[in-house]
Structures are given as structure tokens and as C-alpha cells.
Amino acid sequence: DEELIKTANTIASKGRGILAMDESNATCGKRLDSIGVENTEENRRAYRELLLTTPGLGEYISGAILFEETLYQSTKDGKTFVDVMGEQGIVPGIKVDK
């Protein structure tokens, strides 16, 4: 009960919003294709790393909706994306529809 309240308060932090980055591999591939980048897991990982390691992201984002693949990905230095978000006070969530 306390954990749920804490999570809700974090997500509802004043001045912060939720980042919807739950694009499927196909949709993410369209973004990559538009800039001439091949749709591979590594390129999707690099794109997501770019988003999640943006300096100061946690000042403006309180939660992030993730595609399942993202839960298991890490930065090039080996830190999981979930840990990267946690360090910035961003609550990770997962897209449940397929």
C-alpha cells in the first residue's frame, strides 16, 4: 500500500510528465529508417539509450512507458535502462498490450 502511494506521488510530481517510449520494434524501425539507420536490436537499444541518458531528463520526466524489449536492455557501459531511470527518479512501466 505504501509503495503504491509512493509510486503514484512520484509519477504525479508537479512539473513532470510521462515519457511514452513504448514503440514496438516495427514502429521504432520506421523512425530509424527515416534517418537511414537499419532496424536492429542494437540500433533500437542505442536510440533508447540516447533518450534515457539525456542530461536532466529526470527533472522533467517522472515515469516512462516501455516496450518489453527495453526492460532487458542496458547502456553500452552495461547499466540496465531500469537502473538508469531509477537514478533519475523516473518510474518505469511496461506496455501490456501487444
Side-chain angles (χ1 to χ4, degrees), residues 2 6 15 21 28 30 38 45 48-49 52 58 61 75 77:
E2 289 179 31
K6 180 182 174 191
M21 54 180 289
C28 191
K30 290 177 187 176
E38 186 180 2
R45 186 210 61 74
R48 293 167 178 149
E49 179 175 354
L52 292 173
I61 301 298
T75 66
D77 297 329

Side-chain angles (χ1 to χ4, degrees), residues 3-95:
E3 184 177 353
L4 179 59
I5 292 169
K6 180 182 174 191
T7 300
N9 285 334
T10 298
I11 292 173
S13 300
K14 185 176 179 176
R16 296 168 74 201
I18 296 173
L19 174 63
M21 54 180 289
D22 58 338
E23 299 172 316
S24 68
N25 293 343
T27 302
C28 191
K30 290 177 187 176
R31 285 195 191 282
L32 296 174
D33 187 53
S34 74
I35 58 170
V37 176
E38 186 180 2
N39 182 15
T40 64
E41 182 178 356
E42 174 54 26
N43 287 338
R44 292 189 302 272
R45 186 210 61 74
Y47 167 69
R48 293 167 178 149
E49 179 175 354
L50 181 69
L51 291 174
L52 292 173
T53 60
T54 299
L57 183 67
E59 295 176 41
Y60 306 99
I61 301 298
S62 59
I65 305 167
L66 309 176
F67 186 67
E68 184 178 12
E69 179 180 72
T70 314
L71 280 178
Y72 307 104
Q73 291 179 321
S74 301
T75 66
K76 63 184 172 203
D77 297 329
K79 185 179 290 187
T80 68
F81 287 159
V82 171
D83 287 343
V84 169
M85 288 185 281
E87 290 173 356
Q88 298 183 71
I90 299 171
V91 177
I94 186 167
K95 174 182 178 174

